Amino acid sequence: MPTSITNYLSKSYQWILKGTLVSTSARSLLIGIVILLAEVIVRARYDVVPIGEPYWIPIFSLVFGLLISYARSLVAALILTIFLVLGYAIQFFSISNYGYFITPIKLWLLFEKFLEVIVSGRDAVKTMGVTIFALTLVFISFFSLVWTRKNIPKKSHWVSIIAVAVVLFYPIRQTINSTNTLGRLPAMYHSTIKNTFYTWGFFTSRTVPEELLGHSKVKPFSSPSPAKTSNGLADNIVVIMGESLSSKYMSAFDYPETTTPWLDEQKSLSNTFFAEGFSGGLFTDVSLPFFFNSVAKPNGVKQIGSGNSNLFRLAKENGYTTHFYSTQANYGLSLMSLVGLQWVDNYDDSFSLTNNSYQGVLDMELMNWLKKVDLNKKNLIVLHQTGSHMPYADRTPDDYKPFGSETDYAEYMNSVHYTDDLIRQIQQYIVDHDSPSWALLMTSDHGQYVTKNTAGHGNFLQRSNYTVPIYLSSGVPDIIKLAQTQLGQCKSVFQIQLSHYLAEIMGFSYPNNNGCKSGYIAGSRLTGDNGFLHIKQEKDNESSELVYE
């Protein structure tokens, strides 16, 4: 290397190690770029969506770098440094193992069952070369800021206080504002730094008090794993999970307008089963985790975190390849961390089609994903719709408006009609595959309340908000008979019954099935602390009670 270049690099190195504000800022920005590179490598390796606003990482690094460098207290500087390094370590290893950033309840279980987690992850470390390399970059980068503190002549007690306050800010904020749910679920398009602070805030202000001090008013729900009873009743099980679709607006369930012409025809066939059901919650990020983890009632947070009753885990245990495809925008699918993404072999959402975390796609794209599945193998395939979610006008193509487009009511009916046609195409494709060993189950996460003048959901005042369709068809007669036995005697089917029924199709059995005499619908929180509906059904009557404890 020429002497001039060597001298230049030497002077540059000496300058960047100086204790001036400019050189310290440059050092912090450079470290931010290295950390950004480390995160990009990890996301690329584990097929995680890109960072939504990558330029914030160097900015965060600049702020944290100046705080670490100018804090007079070495303890304060180390608190912030260790917090950042541990945050990256936990988050990167969570992505490596589960495919998503860690949730507060998973973080709690990490501490509660530390040795178990370490032992279970011991073999996985061998395949985490990229993650370990990225974490090495993060470790060296942040601790180099601590090492270069010695070059800075003037440090401040105020900076020390601010450095510690940064770590405490979100826990204090979440404690003061008890209605703030920021950090309850990780957003994959957020950076690791941002997710770390959000998760830390929710973990310390909500999860720890609820788990350690019993602050939750609702007793935790727990359930053992079901017993394996067979190899499964069907080789290909397809679950269409609707969005915001209430049975109250489907002609197949006696709505006066013909919104579901194809399903109307299926009611007369012997290989189908129809029933109205209750959703597990009023919102998607409650009902889906409850459904796919067979949670019967709030508070199911810890049960979900354990994975004992996760349907994807059970499916894999019984030889099924698992799939989850969603037409919803990626930014709204943080709930996958609770649904069981770590047990999903093949996952895709609208991002792969739009390269935009905020843009969904039409539900007919689900057909394209379905056609990529090898139906000659055993499969559990979940097709997650955008369905009838607001704004209703965006759920159907411009040339698909059988009810017109003048009102939200008309557009909602269009979306219901569109879903009917989607179910038809999916079932026809499965039937045409010429395999008798199949089962198709369609339901929805929750409903809507729609009139000529109003539209929305999220409360217990309107029954249509939590009344959903259940449609089943199969080439296996025993699957229909099982539905008639387990579900057919109910006035309305609770979501937990449907979860147990799906588990039984996959070859598992829950001995303690309460049937349809009593069940629960959660509000907007998995814990049930903001209220949940307890419904009791007798042969000729039904009673409900809104419960807060």
Side-chain angles (χ1 to χ4, degrees):
M1 183 179 295
T3 304
S4 58
I5 297 178
T6 303
N7 291 337
Y8 175 78
L9 292 175
S10 177
K11 289 179 180 180
S12 298
Y13 177 73
Q14 292 173 10
W15 175 82
I16 206 168
L17 291 180
K18 284 184 177 181
T20 66
L21 178 61
V22 175
S23 63
T24 303
S25 299
R27 190 162 60 245
S28 300
L29 282 172
L30 181 61
I31 286 172
I33 293 171
V34 172
I35 291 170
L36 173 60
L37 176 63
E39 184 164 347
V40 168
I41 291 172
V42 170
R43 285 174 179 265
R45 170 64 179 83
Y46 297 103
D47 196 25
V48 176
V49 295
I51 309 165
E53 299 172 332
Y55 52 83
W56 276 109
I57 294 180
I59 295 175
F60 287 146
S61 182
L62 172 62
V63 174
F64 298 145
L66 292 176
L67 290 175
I68 293 168
S69 300
Y70 282 90
R72 186 163 186 177
S73 168
L74 176 60
V75 173
L78 284 173
I79 287 174
L80 182 55
T81 302
I82 292 172
F83 173 81
L84 292 169
V85 171
L86 277 178
Y88 269 93
I90 292 172
Q91 298 288 22
F92 279 6
F93 275 111
S94 181
I95 288 177
S96 304
N97 282 285
Y98 307 120
Y100 54 79
F101 289 118
I102 200 164
T103 61
I105 190 63
K106 281 282 188 183
L107 187 59
W108 170 263
L109 292 174
L110 172 65
F111 291 110
E112 185 179 67
K113 303 180 183 297
F114 181 75
L115 290 178
E116 181 180 326
V117 172
I118 292 298
V119 170
S120 63
R122 182 179 56 193
D123 294 334
V125 172
K126 298 175 184 178
T127 62
M128 293 182 187
V130 170
T131 301
I132 293 172
F133 171 73
L135 282 175
T136 302
L137 291 179
V138 171
F139 181 89
I140 293 173
S141 296
F142 279 123
F143 275 95
S144 68
L145 292 171
V146 178
W147 176 70
T148 54
R149 279 167 40 85
K150 65 181 185 295
N151 300 327
I152 298 174
K154 294 183 179 180
K155 303 182 185 71
S156 170
H157 285 302
W158 283 108
V159 176
S160 300
I161 294 171
I162 294 172
V164 176
V166 165
V167 177
L168 299 177
F169 173 74
Y170 278 106
I172 294 173
R173 177 186 175 185
Q174 294 289 69
T175 300
I176 294 173
N177 185 0
S178 60
T179 62
N180 193 329
T181 59
L182 190 66
R184 182 173 68 88
L185 292 175
M188 296 308 297
Y189 59 94
H190 284 165
S191 66
T192 301
I193 289 180
K194 184 178 286 190
N195 267 309
T196 295
F197 276 97
Y198 287 171
T199 301
W200 164 249
F202 195 94
F203 172 76
T204 52
S205 64
R206 307 287 174 77
T207 307
V208 171
E210 287 176 359
E211 295 295 334
L212 191 61
L213 304 177
H215 280 187
S216 175
K217 294 180 289 186
V218 183
K219 181 181 178 182
F221 168 81
S222 62
S223 172
S225 298
K228 181 179 176 180
T229 55
S230 71
N231 292 324
L233 302 181
D235 289 340
N236 285 292
I237 303 171
V238 180
V239 178
I240 303 175
M241 180 56 69
E243 167 66 63
S244 303
L245 178 63
S246 175
S247 55
K248 295 301 180 183
Y249 303 101
M250 301 174 69
S251 52
F253 296 93
D254 300 325
Y255 190 66
E257 298 194 56
T258 308
T259 53
T260 55
W262 184 79
L263 283 175
D264 295 347
E265 297 174 359
Q266 303 307 298
K267 294 189 74 172
S268 62
L269 303 181
S270 61
N271 68 330
T272 63
F273 173 84
F274 285 79
E276 283 196 295
F278 293 126
S279 61
L282 295 178
F283 294 88
T284 307
D285 58 2
V286 174
S287 62
L288 258 62
F290 277 14
F291 178 79
F292 287 106
N293 290 281
S294 298
V295 174
K297 58 175 292 188
N299 170 2
V301 177
K302 202 167 182 179
Q303 177 68 22
I304 293 169
S306 73
N308 286 345
S309 51
N310 185 274
L311 293 176
F312 290 109
R313 184 187 70 81
L314 296 174
K316 286 180 65 64
E317 184 180 314
N318 215 5
Y320 288 91
T321 301
T322 55
H323 312 259
F324 191 103
Y325 303 112
S326 177
T327 56
Q328 296 196 16
N330 176 268
Y331 87 96
L333 291 170
S334 300
L335 59 89
M336 287 305 301
S337 58
L338 302 177
V339 169
L341 184 59
Q342 63 265 46
W343 296 295
V344 175
D345 295 314
N346 299 293
Y347 171 86
D348 215 338
D349 57 43
S350 65
F351 180 83
S352 65
L353 302 175
T354 65
N355 288 319
N356 186 336
S357 292
Y358 298 89
Q359 182 180 343
V361 293
L362 291 172
D363 284 336
M364 285 302 171
E365 292 291 346
L366 293 170
M367 281 296 302
N368 295 326
W369 281 314
L370 176 60
K371 290 175 181 178
K372 294 179 181 179
V373 178
D374 184 359
L375 297 181
N376 294 311
K377 299 179 179 178
K378 289 178 68 175
N379 297 285
L380 171 63
I381 308 163
V382 176
L383 305 176
H384 182 217
Q385 294 182 258
T386 309
S388 299
H389 195 287
M390 294 179 120
Y392 308 136
D394 293 346
R395 305 304 158 225
T396 57
D398 293 338
D399 59 352
Y400 194 106
K401 305 292 181 182
F403 291 89
S405 57
E406 292 76 21
T407 64
D408 280 342
Y409 174 84
E411 292 287 14
Y412 184 82
M413 298 306 153
N414 291 334
S415 71
V416 177
H417 198 284
Y418 191 65
T419 291
D420 179 72
D421 194 46
L422 173 68
I423 301 171
R424 177 187 65 81
Q425 292 190 44
I426 289 173
Q427 181 165 321
Q428 191 61 53
Y429 177 78
I430 300 170
V431 171
D432 288 345
H433 188 262
D434 198 28
S435 171
S437 186
W438 60 271
L440 172 67
L441 171 64
M442 191 277 163
T443 188
S444 185
D445 56 354
H446 56 79
Q448 292 274 282
Y449 176 64
V450 186
T451 70
K452 302 289 184 180
N453 302 310
T454 61
H457 79 286
N459 63 68
F460 291 112
L461 299 176
Q462 306 297 335
R463 190 180 177 90
S464 63
N465 283 331
Y466 53 86
T467 307
V468 296
I470 296 173
Y471 167 68
L472 174 71
S473 184
S474 178
V476 182
D478 286 347
I479 290 179
I480 302 299
K481 291 178 183 178
L482 182 66
Q484 293 168 342
T485 300
Q486 291 193 356
L487 312 176
Q489 310 306 314
C490 303
K491 182 179 179 182
S492 294
V493 177
F494 290 106
Q495 182 176 275
I496 184 61
Q497 294 177 267
L498 202 57
S499 296
H500 286 177
Y501 172 74
L502 180 55
E504 189 145 352
I505 294 177
M506 295 191 307
F508 297 87
S509 178
Y510 282 92
N512 299 320
N513 193 331
N514 294 327
C516 49
K517 291 184 178 180
S518 176
Y520 300 84
I521 303 167
S524 61
R525 294 191 64 188
L526 295 168
T527 60
D529 281 317
N530 66 331
F532 57 91
L533 200 64
H534 182 198
I535 296 178
K536 296 179 180 179
Q537 294 187 121
E538 300 297 336
K539 186 174 182 181
D540 298 320
N541 62 75
E542 175 186 300
S543 62
S544 62
E545 178 187 9
L546 190 59
V547 184
Y548 286 90
E549 58 184 11

